[in-house]
Amino acid sequence: MRYEGVVYRPPSEASSLIIQATIGCPHNKCTFCAMYKDKAFRIRSVEEIKTDLRLAQAQYGSTVDSVFFADGNTILMRTEQLEDIFCYTQQLFPANKRITLYGSTQFINLKSEGEFERLKKAGLSRIHCGIESGDDITLTRIAKGADAAAVITAGKKVRAAGIELSEYIMIGIGGRERSGEHALASARVLNEINPEFIRLRTFIPMEGTILYDQWSKGKFGLLSPYEALRETELLILNLQATSLLYSDHASNYAYVNGRLPINKQAMIDTIHKLLTMPEDSFRPPEYGGL
């Protein structure tokens, strides 16, 4: 495939065919994010994308059953362009069951509910959206480009169109100062949206980012393993959604997975068990990667 730069995809898209419809991220200002720094954002032409789809068909034939359109915020493409490439995907891969992409709040909100209904009809199955937090102060500090009200509007718009929504929350992104506020506000936003999926990531400072510099200078309080587990517990305790919750990432200290609310107590029990382990048995909070 004709990939440009490093290509990122959610863990749940590990078996998907990845096609770059856009290059880079149009926002690219989040203070915690080290992704897409090697390339300027641009939208590839529909013909370029179709060429890659044909190359994939020549290589994989009829085996493709899931397609992820990278890079960051492919949802920014014009609706008619997305309809075109989605319909073409379905023509080339008749056994395909799923079309997915990344979409941040501010770019989701550029489209109407009617446009999302059109995209659903064309084959869009799921949007992966990193909201990170529901706390307005935290969202401003990390330069996410949206507040909690906008997050709720975007989430409800996608859900109303019948498109699956996978929302990502970053444990520890509020630092020690706003750990409680971050957990409670994030639960409130998720309860309002009730997405199909809630996925947890634990913040790890990445070299070359603004938040890494703040942390290294003592201006950001990185959560210890115990603190991250307690924040996760507070979030889960306050979730009233019926979503599937996954901590499907190596950054997390606790692998708590299941359907809310029926598996909530099992998740809390797992966290309580982990809190009985010596804290130095966990990875250092600054070690790892996203």
Side-chain angles (χ1 to χ4, degrees):
M1 301 308 299
R2 303 181 301 170
Y3 296 132
E4 295 186 27
V6 179
V7 179
Y8 300 92
R9 51 89 180 149
S12 60
E13 303 296 343
S15 61
S16 296
L17 168 66
I18 300 176
I19 299 290
Q20 273 183 305
T22 57
I23 307 299
C25 174
H27 181 63
N28 214 12
K29 297 175 183 176
C30 298
T31 63
F32 62 87
C33 185
M35 295 162 60
Y36 308 118
K37 302 303 182 186
D38 60 334
K39 45 194 169 184
F41 179 76
R42 70 179 177 87
I43 297 173
R44 297 181 75 203
S45 72
V46 169
E47 284 310 311
E48 281 185 280
I49 298 166
K50 286 183 175 181
T51 297
D52 277 5
L53 286 165
R54 288 193 295 272
L55 289 171
Q57 185 198 42
Q59 183 168 353
Y60 301 113
S62 61
T63 63
V64 172
D65 62 4
S66 179
V67 181
F68 175 73
F69 284 101
D71 272 339
N73 281 300
T74 296
I75 198 64
L76 181 61
M77 290 179 67
R78 294 200 308 271
T79 298
E80 56 269 27
Q81 291 177 319
L82 290 170
E83 286 178 309
D84 194 353
I85 63 173
F86 294 165
C87 291
Y88 194 68
T89 298
Q90 302 294 58
Q91 291 172 24
L92 292 181
F93 306 108
N96 186 57
K97 299 175 183 176
R98 193 174 71 177
I99 293 175
T100 64
L101 45 70
Y102 278 131
S104 292
T105 294
Q106 59 183 309
F107 301 109
I108 288 173
N109 279 333
L110 293 176
K111 295 190 187 300
S112 67
E113 187 176 313
E115 287 178 284
F116 282 107
E117 290 170 354
R118 288 167 55 188
L119 294 176
K120 166 70 174 177
K121 186 176 181 181
L124 181 59
S125 311
R126 181 182 302 171
I127 296 176
H128 296 274
C129 182
I131 61 175
E132 325 309 350
S133 179
D135 175 42
D136 280 341
I137 292 176
T138 297
L139 288 168
T140 298
R141 288 177 177 176
I142 64 175
K144 190 61 191 177
D147 60 13
V151 170
I152 293 169
T153 297
K156 287 185 173 181
K157 188 183 298 185
V158 172
R159 293 280 281 124
I163 298 170
E164 290 184 346
L165 185 61
S166 185
E167 300 275 37
Y168 293 75
I169 293 292
M170 191 168 285
I171 300 298
I173 196 63
R176 284 200 176 100
E177 179 190 354
R178 298 199 64 79
S179 178
E181 292 87 348
H182 163 57
L184 293 173
S186 297
R188 181 185 66 82
V189 166
L190 292 168
N191 290 339
E192 285 279 332
I193 298 170
N194 195 26
E196 279 78 11
F197 304 96
I198 297 169
R199 288 187 157 94
L200 306 183
R201 304 288 182 264
T202 299
F203 170 67
I204 297 171
M206 304 299 293
E207 195 168 358
T209 65
I210 294 171
L211 204 46
Y212 179 93
D213 291 339
Q214 292 174 350
W215 164 71
S216 63
K217 294 173 183 177
K219 297 179 180 180
F220 180 88
L222 187 63
L223 300 191
S224 71
Y226 277 2
E227 290 169 331
L229 287 168
R230 292 189 183 105
E231 183 177 289
T232 304
E233 178 184 14
L234 183 60
L235 170 71
I236 293 173
L237 281 171
N238 285 275
L239 284 172
Q240 298 168 0
T242 57
S243 313
L244 280 166
L245 186 143
Y246 292 117
S247 57
D248 55 346
H249 199 270
S251 64
N252 297 322
Y253 295 106
Y255 289 99
V256 285
N257 305 284
R259 171 72 68 181
L260 294 168
I262 56 176
N263 299 129
K264 181 185 287 193
Q265 189 57 54
M267 298 180 200
I268 299 302
D269 291 344
T270 296
I271 292 172
H272 287 174
K273 184 176 181 179
L274 289 169
L275 285 168
T276 67
M277 297 171 59
E279 192 167 27
D280 60 9
S281 66
F282 296 90
R283 65 158 176 82
E286 70 277 12
Y287 178 77
L290 297 177

